Amino acid sequence: MSETVKLIVEGQEYEFPVITGTEGEKAIDISKLRDLTGHITLDIGFKNTGSTKSAITFLDGEEGILHHRGYSIEDLAEHASFLEVSYLLLYGKLPNATEYAEFQSAIREHTLANEGLEAMFKAFPTGSHPMGQLSSMVAALGLYYPKALNPHRSEEAINRTIIRLMAKMPTICAMIYKKRNGHPTVYPKNSLDYVANYLNMTFGQVTMPEYEPDPVLVSAMNKLLILHADHEQNCSASTVRVVGSSQSNLYSSISAGISALWGPLHGGANQEVLEMLEQIQNDGGDVQKWINKAKDKNDPFRLMGFGHRVYKNFDPRAKIIKKACDDVLAKLGVNDPVLEIAKQLEEAALTDPYFVERKLFPNVDFYSGIIYRAMGFPTDFFTVLFSMGRLPGWISQWQEMRKEKQPIARPRQIYTGETPRAYVHMKDRD
Ligand code: CMC
């Protein structure tokens, strides 16, 4: 017999089904709650609310588990390439050799971005944040493919849009980097793989065609992209689904996801981590002073890169990335004073009862920022790299939402404003 729960509302008993996921997760299905009882649920910040069923990513915050389509993040980060993981997220299975070759070659065919996009950079004020540029550029990219704005096209046409987005994202990210430096863009070099091509477009020069991306950086970047590829119903993935649920097109849904990721409590934390470390260093390097500030409830300062909404023991991505971070720093021979501060902060926070009791430990953004800095990326570019990694996740969330014909997202509310009152003419107002 299937499990149910009973709810007594104003003296009357109602029964609601319990839904069990393949990993044993349980949810009370309250989709009929309002019809039956006239009540809604209130869950500000959706801390207890499942917004969808999903077969893409499984995450157990208590145990520190992250699986994509059943494969552990540890295995994927160790053995797979970013494009393999992207294929897995997008199409539900790891590609065989033929499928992988076809996927790579389809992406290679679409790496060029329309030259018209170059003109948009002239309109951005000097110093514009790269995430604002990226969100605008991805929305603008869609305008070059007007037919793709219709989400009801054939699966083949939708897949072409997916491939275009995957292919042009690194090109656009690299263009943003080049334009802010006032340098000419480096065109895609399709003999390189996805990650090396991106690094070439970013750090290569048109005057230096012999530039070869360092394999250590290619491998670290590959790992970072994999670790960011999807994270189930987080703020930006939910945004992509919510925007997509109005049957808005894929480009604008992804552009909205990029905007959501930009925030410092989400992907923007990787930029904030480095800025915080620099601030502590410029302030004399007294780590304890900043820990005390983070603990002070009257002080808005938080330790950026610490804590997570769902991971309450450890962030499995942080474990993998910490090792990658150590490898990259050792191989590049980086000797950066902010890293010393990062180490002290990590140590102090992991032993301080305030952080221990609240289960606040370094998250993925704490280490990713450190690696990106060592690789030579400017601080405000870190979240762009996160976006590149998250793209296949966002697309697969959008695809699942679309294929399952999910209704338009439209939460309810509890109104706490004024009750009805008569209009007061201006001459009679206080
Ligand atoms: N520094 C100091 N105190 C903190 C921190 C922090 N980084 N994070 C949480 N707390 C405290 C918070 O003040 C609260 O204390 P109390 O119970 O005494 O009121 C308690 O810990 C619980 O915090 P919360 O804000 O209710 O937790 P949340 O689940 O709503 O927020 C979070 C999660 C990630 C937004 C938060 O931990 C935070 O702001 N961290 C810093 C930003 C950051 O690193 N974000 C990146 C997250 S990982 C990348 C991603 O997936 O987006």
Side-chain angles (χ1 to χ4, degrees):
M1 212 179 91
S2 48
E3 193 183 346
T4 57
V5 293
K6 286 185 178 143
L7 185 66
I8 298 168
V9 182
E10 290 168 347
Q12 192 166 339
E13 193 175 284
Y14 301 90
E15 218 167 288
F16 294 95
V18 170
I19 308 286
T20 307
T22 50
E23 290 277 359
E25 289 179 300
K26 297 210 170 202
I28 303 164
D29 178 354
I30 50 117
S31 45
K32 300 262 182 322
L33 180 74
R34 189 168 175 276
D35 285 350
L36 293 173
T37 69
H39 287 54
I40 60 165
T41 53
L42 182 64
D43 183 21
I44 296 168
F46 309 125
K47 293 194 178 196
N48 306 282
T49 297
S51 59
T52 187
K53 291 182 199 168
S54 178
I56 303 170
T57 291
F58 171 70
L59 198 165
D60 181 333
E62 276 68 35
E63 298 297 325
I65 292 173
L66 174 62
H67 290 173
H68 296 313
R69 308 246 187 226
Y71 297 101
S72 78
I73 191 65
E74 288 81 5
D75 273 355
L76 294 172
E78 172 85 22
H79 304 295
S81 71
F82 173 63
L83 274 195
E84 264 180 276
V85 176
S86 302
Y87 188 101
L88 173 70
L89 291 169
L90 292 168
Y91 305 111
K93 66 186 277 282
L94 282 171
N96 62 30
T98 314
E99 288 162 338
Y100 191 49
E102 281 169 7
F103 184 53
Q104 282 179 306
S105 109
I107 286 183
R108 283 198 174 105
E109 249 177 63
H110 291 279
T111 47
L112 275 176
N114 194 297
E115 293 278 324
L117 287 173
E118 290 255 351
M120 279 194 60
F121 287 105
K122 293 205 173 75
F124 294 133
T126 312
S128 312
H129 197 285
M131 283 297 277
Q133 294 191 35
L134 182 61
S135 154
S136 313
M137 296 301 282
V138 169
L141 183 62
L143 305 179
Y144 288 88
Y145 307 98
K147 285 188 193 151
L149 303 186
N150 173 6
H152 302 298
R153 299 180 77 214
S154 67
E155 290 307 318
E156 194 194 341
I158 297 273
N159 193 47
R160 208 160 36 244
T161 299
I162 292 173
I163 296 286
R164 275 202 183 107
L165 259 168
M166 285 294 299
K168 294 181 199 306
M169 182 78 158
T171 312
I172 289 175
C173 293
M175 279 166 96
I176 295 172
Y177 181 87
K178 287 296 191 199
K179 290 296 158 195
R180 74 184 335 233
N181 289 339
H183 292 165
T185 48
V186 171
Y187 284 153
K189 188 169 164 186
N190 288 332
S191 54
L192 295 174
D193 73 19
Y194 193 82
V195 173
N197 200 3
Y198 167 68
L199 290 175
N200 183 51
M201 289 188 283
T202 303
F203 296 123
Q205 305 278 349
V206 277
T207 50
M208 240 175 60
E210 71 284 2
Y211 168 82
E212 289 277 336
D214 184 334
V216 176
L217 300 193
V218 174
S219 152
M221 178 94 196
N222 200 55
K223 210 162 265 185
L224 279 160
L225 295 179
I226 291 173
L227 294 179
H228 283 111
D230 191 55
H231 214 225
E232 51 117 298
Q233 308 313 315
N234 55 78
C235 177
S236 57
S238 300
T239 300
V240 170
R241 278 182 177 261
V242 167
V243 173
S245 76
S246 74
Q247 301 190 353
S248 184
N249 66 83
L250 181 57
Y251 293 98
S252 53
S253 304
I254 298 296
S255 165
I258 293 168
S259 298
L261 189 75
W262 187 0
L265 297 190
H266 192 11
N270 54 15
Q271 170 178 349
E272 302 275 328
V273 168
L274 254 291
E275 286 175 358
M276 173 189 77
L277 295 176
E278 281 165 358
Q279 196 179 8
I280 297 175
Q281 187 198 14
N282 294 338
D283 186 54
D286 182 354
V287 166
Q288 193 53 48
K289 172 182 159 188
W290 290 85
I291 298 237
N292 292 344
K293 270 168 75 63
K295 286 157 53 174
D296 181 355
K297 292 290 165 210
N298 297 317
D299 190 326
F301 175 76
R302 279 190 166 200
L303 272 195
M304 299 315 287
F306 282 78
H308 200 275
R309 168 59 64 81
V310 287
Y311 291 125
K312 297 300 176 197
N313 265 324
F314 67 94
D315 180 340
R317 302 167 304 167
K319 231 178 168 178
I320 300 168
I321 215 171
K322 182 174 162 43
K323 173 145 190 340
C325 184
D326 292 343
D327 290 351
V328 168
L329 298 178
K331 283 196 183 135
L332 293 182
V334 172
N335 190 8
D336 186 339
V338 301
L339 298 178
E340 199 34 52
I341 293 185
K343 253 189 224 151
Q344 285 178 36
L345 205 59
E346 185 190 10
E347 250 172 61
L350 289 174
T351 49
D352 188 308
Y354 174 95
F355 293 91
V356 175
E357 278 158 22
R358 288 171 180 75
K359 303 188 169 174
L360 303 171
F361 46 80
N363 58 47
V364 69
D365 285 329
F366 186 72
Y367 300 106
S368 66
I370 295 172
I371 303 189
Y372 289 141
R373 178 181 163 101
M375 288 169 89
F377 286 103
T379 316
D380 63 359
F381 213 78
F382 296 173
T383 322
V384 167
L385 303 165
F386 191 155
S387 308
M388 239 172 81
R390 186 52 57 87
L391 182 65
W394 286 330
I395 299 176
S396 30
Q397 298 285 344
W398 182 89
Q399 269 284 59
E400 193 176 66
M401 179 277 310
R402 187 185 68 85
K403 284 189 172 167
E404 293 190 355
K405 297 189 172 40
Q406 289 186 6
I408 184 166
R410 201 323 186 168
R412 290 190 175 261
Q413 63 162 24
I414 294 295
Y415 175 69
T416 58
E418 299 284 350
T419 51
R421 47 186 172 163
Y423 179 77
V424 183
H425 290 276
M426 202 174 287
K427 66 180 173 46
D428 300 325
R429 289 178 212 156
D430 296 336

